[in-house]
Every structure is written in structure tokens, then in C-alpha cells.
Amino acid sequence: MRAISIILIATMTGCATLHLPDYHANSFQSYSNSIVKNNVGVAIEPLTDSAKIKQYFGTDLRTTGILPVFMLVENRGDRSFLLSKEKIVLVTDESNNSLVENSSETVSSTLASTLGIMAVPAIVVAPIIAVPLMPLAAKLGSDVEEVRHNLAVKEFRSKTVSPGTNAQGFMYFSLPKTYTTLKRLRVQIPITKTPGNKKQIIEMPLI
Amino acid sequence: MKSKHFFNMKNAYLWLFIFMNSLLAGCAITWDVAPKQTKSFVSQPYNLHILLVLPEEFRNAKWEGVNDPVSTAVIPLGGALISNTKSMARALFQEVSIGTDNVVAANSSIDAVLTPKLISAERTHPTTIFGQQTSTIILEWTLTDQKAQIIWVNTVKGQGQTAMGLNPKNGAEKQLKIVFDQLFDASYKSIVSSVEIKQFVEKN
């Protein structure tokens, strides 16, 4: 029993629930990568620093091929426009072909397997062996839930942006592992003015 | 005297714990904890006849996740989402018809179609009973005209947080009460204050 107690205490160390801070947008002017076109202001900031990604997302998303990109869109005109999250894509400079779409569902499933959610079924299979490891498994499971929840809460969402208002949040792009540079990537943001449904595409470099 | 055997009465509780876990392994528990009481809304109707579309995915919405290391919990959300959505729509629009798809007949008196979509239902799971547990539901609302042209879209969030405590089911119930209050308050305010919907009503 003493041995089990020691293992339990040891595994309990560091079992505090993961807490991830909110990401607060800066003023539009403070973003070095921004554009204003036809009264629509777009500022984007890809998070490439591992420490910063871990701070806001609890894990280094880049190691799983996911690039979080913060986006702030302002309506400086007198007409509303629609921003549809599903239509925002990354394209390469050369081909202008759609390279990657954004999807939190894909990101969540990638993360679930990467972060070790399989630790939980492992306990079901072998409860005797796993009893001392339960706190560790609980910690892993808890972290996965926290990371998934946080991804959903911070994600950019579809919205009609009225005059004088803005939309903001993170896009999650699943980059091919072979893609090592961000320099040749561009973000395409289709907007639809309402009423009238006049379409316009704003394109800008990722970095 | 120290026992040489691991299988003795000293370890009875440990073996009981292991036995209970083995019985529970893989179980799914259903918690019917989404708020039973539908929110009431101040009636501020737009002069529109809308078709409120409640797709199958929305009607069958649920949260499913870890309850403890050996079992999962399922929380049905569809019923509470539907009753609150209907109640809110009736307070916000002059006339509300209910449907399951957004096809509007050409000779219909329907002016617009309102469709809710469940974007996300997530819950955190603290490591210990002392930790804070958060439940979040995100809904997307789309209002289109008769020709399916988008008038207005918005995504709203409801979030509730309590200590997980010894009874996670009670915690879930408290969290979801807060979540639904926030979610439908935000939805109501968003529709009431929408410049785009007001313009559509004026033009109609």
C-alpha cells in the first residue's frame, strides 16, 4: 500500500487543471500586417512562437501541423458585410490554388490523438495495472478537454459585420508537414456586402 | 506483523475499487440536465412571417464526453435548444412557422427563414473535484430571404462555470442553466439589435 501511495502522490504532482488565458486583440494600428480596402480593415497575426502558442493553446499546435492565425476585421464603411469562416483560405503565391481550408473539427481530432486521449481507454482495458496511473490519465484527459474547449472558444466565427463594428478570433490552418515557410502563403478573405450580395475578395500575405 | 500477501483484508478497499471500475468500464451514463424551463422573452416582434428551420442535427444535439476515467456521460441538448429557440422566435417575429428544411414555396407568405446551427458544445473536465468546470455552447444564427440570400448571420456563445464538486451531475445542471441563459440572452439581443434585420423589415 505504501508503494501505491507513493506512486499516487508522485503522479498527482503537476495535476493542477490547465488554465489558458484569453487572447486580447490589440488596436488595429498596432498590427504590422494589415490592409484597408474599400473600407474593410483586415489585420492578421500568425502565432509562430512555440512559447506563445503554448501559453494560449496549452500545447504547441505547430508540432501537429496546425497554424493558429489571429484575425481582426473592421467595418469602416456604411454598409454591412458578411464574413463566412468556411470560405477563408490560404493560397500559395505561385498557383493561387487553395492550399488549406480552416477547420476546428480537423484540428480537434488531430489534437485528441496527439495529446494522448487514448490513455483513458487504456485504463478500461487494464484497471489493475492502471490504478496507480489514474491521476496521470485524468490529467491527460483533462488537458485534452481544456485544449479542445479553448480552441472552440477562441475560434473566428461567421458573422455579419455592421458599420463601426469588428469581428475577431483565431483561424486554424492545417498546413502540410512538408510546408516549412510561411513567406509564400497568402490569406484570402471573401466578403459579401449586404444587402445586394456584392462579393469582394481581400487577399494579403500571411506574414 | 507485516503481511506477506497482497490479497488480504488490508487491501479490500483497493480491490473493491478495482472491481467497481471493472463493472463501470465503458459505460455511458445519460444526464438529463439541460434546463427544463424555457426562458421567457420580452415580446418585441418584427413585422415578419418567418420559417424557423430546426434541422435534424440541431434537434438531436447532445454533449458526449468523459465522466470519469472509466465511463462517459451523455447530455441531450436538443430538447432545451428547440423549446428556447421557439420561445425566442415567437417573441421576436410576428408570425412563426416551424419546419425542418429551408425550402420556401414561391407562393408562401413567408418573408424570411431563420436557421440555428449548433457549432460547438464543449465541457472541460478538471483533474480534481476542487477544480472549476466550464461548459460552453456556441450557436450560429442565419436569417435568409425567400430566395435564400443571406440577410444576417451571427455566432453567439453561452458559458457556465462552477466547481465540479463531488456530484458532477449537479455541476452540469448548474452550468447548463447559466449556459442557456447566456446563450439565448445573447441570441435575443443580437437579433433585436441587428441593423441588417431592421433594414430588411423596412424594405419588406
Side-chain angles (χ1 to χ4, degrees):
Chain A
M1 280 303 274
R2 191 182 297 164
I4 290 171
S5 303
I6 291 167
I7 294 169
L8 276 173
I9 291 165
T11 48
M12 284 287 276
T13 309
C15 268
T17 306
L18 184 68
H19 286 293
L20 301 168
D22 291 337
Y23 185 88
H24 298 289
N26 298 319
S27 66
F28 187 86
Q29 293 74 16
S30 66
Y31 290 95
S32 56
N33 189 15
S34 62
I35 190 172
V36 179
K37 195 176 170 185
N38 296 337
N39 290 321
V40 179
V42 182
I44 53 177
E45 182 190 30
L47 257 61
T48 52
D49 177 49
S50 293
K52 205 169 178 183
I53 298 174
K54 273 186 187 169
Q55 181 191 350
Y56 289 107
F57 294 98
T59 182
D60 186 0
L61 299 172
R62 292 292 306 274
T63 59
T64 57
I66 297 157
L67 178 70
V69 178
F70 183 76
M71 189 163 82
L72 172 64
V73 183
E74 287 187 354
N75 186 347
R76 299 176 174 196
D78 54 9
R79 282 180 67 188
S80 304
F81 60 80
L82 168 69
L83 272 172
S84 184
K85 188 208 92 174
E86 289 77 16
K87 291 181 180 161
I88 301 171
V89 292
L90 282 183
V91 295
T92 58
D93 254 0
E94 304 86 23
S95 62
N96 206 34
N97 285 332
S98 166
L99 179 67
V100 271
E101 293 179 0
N102 64 84
S103 163
S104 59
E105 289 76 19
T106 312
V107 171
S108 284
S109 60
T110 309
L111 279 171
S113 53
T114 312
L115 292 173
I117 200 163
M118 294 311 286
V120 175
I123 285 177
V124 176
V125 175
I128 298 171
I129 298 166
V131 164
L133 298 175
M134 268 192 171
L136 183 61
K139 168 69 177 157
L140 283 173
S142 171
D143 284 0
V144 172
E145 298 288 337
E146 187 68 39
V147 169
R148 278 172 49 151
H149 179 270
N150 178 66
L151 279 167
V153 169
K154 289 193 171 100
E155 189 169 15
F156 189 91
R157 300 292 179 187
S158 298
K159 186 182 179 184
T160 299
V161 188
S162 307
T165 66
N166 68 47
Q168 56 181 271
F170 277 93
M171 307 288 298
Y172 308 117
F173 293 106
S174 186
L175 294 176
K177 284 190 175 144
T178 50
Y179 217 89
T180 52
T181 177
L182 303 179
K183 283 182 184 164
R184 289 180 293 129
L185 290 172
R186 300 176 70 78
V187 185
Q188 268 189 4
I189 305 148
I191 66 164
T192 308
K193 298 260 183 179
T194 56
N197 288 307
K198 190 183 165 193
K199 290 178 175 36
Q200 175 192 343
I201 292 179
I202 295 178
E203 192 171 312
M204 60 192 291
L206 183 63
I207 52 173
Chain B
M1 190 180 152
K2 214 173 187 178
S3 171
K4 289 177 183 175
H5 302 287
F6 195 61
F7 295 87
N8 60 20
M9 281 309 290
K10 270 185 161 181
N11 294 324
Y13 287 115
L14 175 65
W15 290 112
L16 182 64
F17 178 69
I18 290 167
F19 175 70
M20 294 301 284
N21 275 344
S22 305
L23 289 181
L24 282 170
C27 283
I29 305 157
T30 299
W31 290 343
D32 193 12
V33 291
K36 299 277 179 295
Q37 201 172 356
T38 305
K39 265 179 78 66
S40 56
F41 300 92
V42 178
S43 185
Q44 281 183 281
Y46 286 114
N47 190 17
L48 291 176
H49 176 192
I50 64 147
L51 172 64
L52 174 63
V53 176
L54 302 169
E56 193 180 347
E57 204 179 31
F58 187 75
R59 284 182 277 129
N60 297 331
K62 63 183 177 187
W63 173 86
E64 193 167 4
V66 176
N67 173 39
D68 58 45
V70 291
S71 66
T72 55
V74 178
I75 302 177
L77 300 169
L81 285 172
I82 287 171
S83 59
N84 281 285
T85 297
K86 284 181 181 172
S87 170
M88 185 188 77
R90 284 175 183 136
L92 284 170
F93 299 97
Q94 200 77 53
E95 196 175 346
V96 178
S97 299
I98 312 284
T100 52
D101 60 55
N102 60 357
V103 179
V104 180
N107 58 353
S108 160
S109 64
I110 285 168
D111 303 305
V113 178
L114 181 68
T115 312
K117 182 182 174 188
L118 179 71
I119 298 291
S120 169
E122 295 283 349
R123 301 185 73 219
T124 62
H125 196 274
T127 324
T128 68
I129 56 167
F130 308 107
Q132 291 289 307
Q133 185 169 36
T134 309
S135 296
T136 303
I137 296 178
I138 299 172
L139 285 186
E140 181 186 281
W141 295 96
T142 306
L143 190 73
T144 55
D145 65 13
Q146 275 189 327
K147 293 172 187 168
Q149 300 282 349
I150 292 175
I151 301 163
W152 168 88
V153 172
N154 201 10
T155 309
V156 295
K157 181 181 78 178
Q159 196 166 71
Q161 190 180 62
T162 65
M164 189 164 78
L166 282 167
N167 187 342
K169 189 180 169 186
N170 281 354
E173 192 165 8
K174 284 177 194 162
Q175 288 155 33
L176 285 178
K177 170 83 177 71
I178 304 168
V179 169
F180 273 79
D181 276 350
Q182 275 188 18
L183 190 65
F184 283 93
D185 275 347
S187 301
Y188 177 87
K189 281 177 189 159
S190 182
I191 293 173
V192 161
S193 62
S194 165
V195 178
E196 298 76 23
I197 299 176
K198 283 176 187 161
Q199 284 172 351
F200 178 76
V201 172
E202 280 169 20
K203 216 176 74 177
N204 214 48

